[in-house]
């Protein structure tokens, strides 16, 4: 008997009939990402969360300054110099006390008066004071004396705005 060898085909047979069917690769999973990509995503999410937390902390920390700036703008409507001076002095004291609340070792600012309070206001912004001595003297004279020289309100408001923006409680 004559058996055909695998390389020999019977007459009339098509060699393509001996080929196996095409088989497809396995299906691709939905998230084929490697472990490194997951680490990158988690690190990015942590960085975004940390940036958001820092931004909120910064905003919350400066909220009293923004509120004080709004109150300062409302002081422009006061006509009486003595009332203007008292309100401005009270606003500056509230800002200083709020900033000092987290520092229990600092002396009580609520008890400062006269020359001590004026010194605190003058040096509250460090090396470059926001207020001039003449304006501070005029402010305190108008607040506590019945007859005082008229105030330069625009200059006082500008200097108070700078003081609120730049003051630090550790200069006490």
């Amino acid at each position: 008997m004559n058996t055909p060898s695998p390389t020999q085909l019977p007459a009339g047979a098509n060699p393509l009939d001996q080929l196996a069917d095409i088989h497809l690769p396995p299906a691709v999973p939905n998230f084929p990402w490697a472990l490194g990509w997951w680490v990158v995503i988690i690190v990015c999410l942590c960085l975004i969360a940390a940036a958001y937390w820092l931004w909120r902390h910064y905003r919350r920390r400066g909220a009293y300054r923004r509120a004080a700036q709004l109150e300062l703008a409302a002081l422009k409507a006061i006509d009486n110099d003595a009332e203007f001076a008292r309100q401005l002095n009270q606003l500056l004291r509230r800002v200083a006390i709020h900033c000092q609340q987290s520092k229990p070792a600092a002396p009580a600012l609520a008890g400062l008066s006269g020359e001590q309070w004026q010194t605190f206001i003058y040096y509250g912004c460090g090396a470059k004071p926001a207020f001039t001595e003449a304006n501070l003297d005029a402010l305190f004279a108008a607040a506590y004396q019945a007859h005082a020289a008229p105030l330069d309100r625009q200059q006082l408001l500008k200097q108070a705005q700078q003081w609120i923006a730049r003051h630090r409680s550790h200069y006490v």
Side-chain angles (χ1 to χ4, degrees):
M1 205 178 289
N2 222 353
T3 59
S5 70
T7 57
Q8 294 178 344
L9 294 174
N14 187 357
L16 294 177
D17 290 339
Q18 289 185 339
L19 292 176
D21 242 357
I22 297 175
H23 59 280
L24 297 174
V28 178
N30 288 338
F31 290 104
W33 297 341
L35 179 63
W37 285 111
W38 287 107
V39 170
V40 168
I41 290 171
I42 290 171
V43 167
C44 287
L45 289 175
C46 289
L47 287 174
I48 290 170
Y52 176 72
W53 182 83
L54 288 172
W55 176 77
R56 278 192 60 211
H57 178 69
Y58 173 77
R59 292 285 296 171
R60 192 176 290 161
R61 208 172 136 210
Y64 77 97
R65 291 180 196 266
R66 289 188 301 279
Q69 296 287 3
L70 289 175
E71 285 188 43
L72 189 63
L75 290 180
K76 292 178 185 177
I78 298 175
D79 292 333
N80 186 355
D81 274 352
E83 182 64 25
F84 173 80
R86 280 191 291 273
Q87 292 290 329
L88 181 59
N89 188 30
Q90 183 183 41
L91 176 64
L92 294 175
R93 189 175 298 270
R94 283 185 307 178
V95 168
I97 288 171
H98 179 82
C99 187
Q100 183 221 4
Q101 285 177 350
S102 63
K103 297 168 180 49
L109 291 175
L112 293 181
S113 62
E115 189 67 32
Q116 291 176 328
W117 175 242
Q118 194 169 352
T119 302
F120 174 80
I121 294 293
Y122 187 76
Y123 291 109
C125 290
K128 186 178 178 196
F131 286 98
T132 61
E133 287 187 43
N135 277 345
L136 273 181
D137 290 339
L139 175 69
F140 292 121
Y144 300 112
Q145 294 177 2
H147 302 290
L151 295 175
D152 182 5
R153 289 176 179 226
Q154 294 301 327
Q155 192 68 19
L156 275 172
L157 287 170
K158 179 181 162 196
Q159 291 174 354
Q161 188 175 22
Q162 289 175 354
W163 189 87
I164 290 169
R166 295 183 3 215
H167 84 282
R168 301 289 180 260
S169 68
H170 61 274
Y171 290 109
V172 177

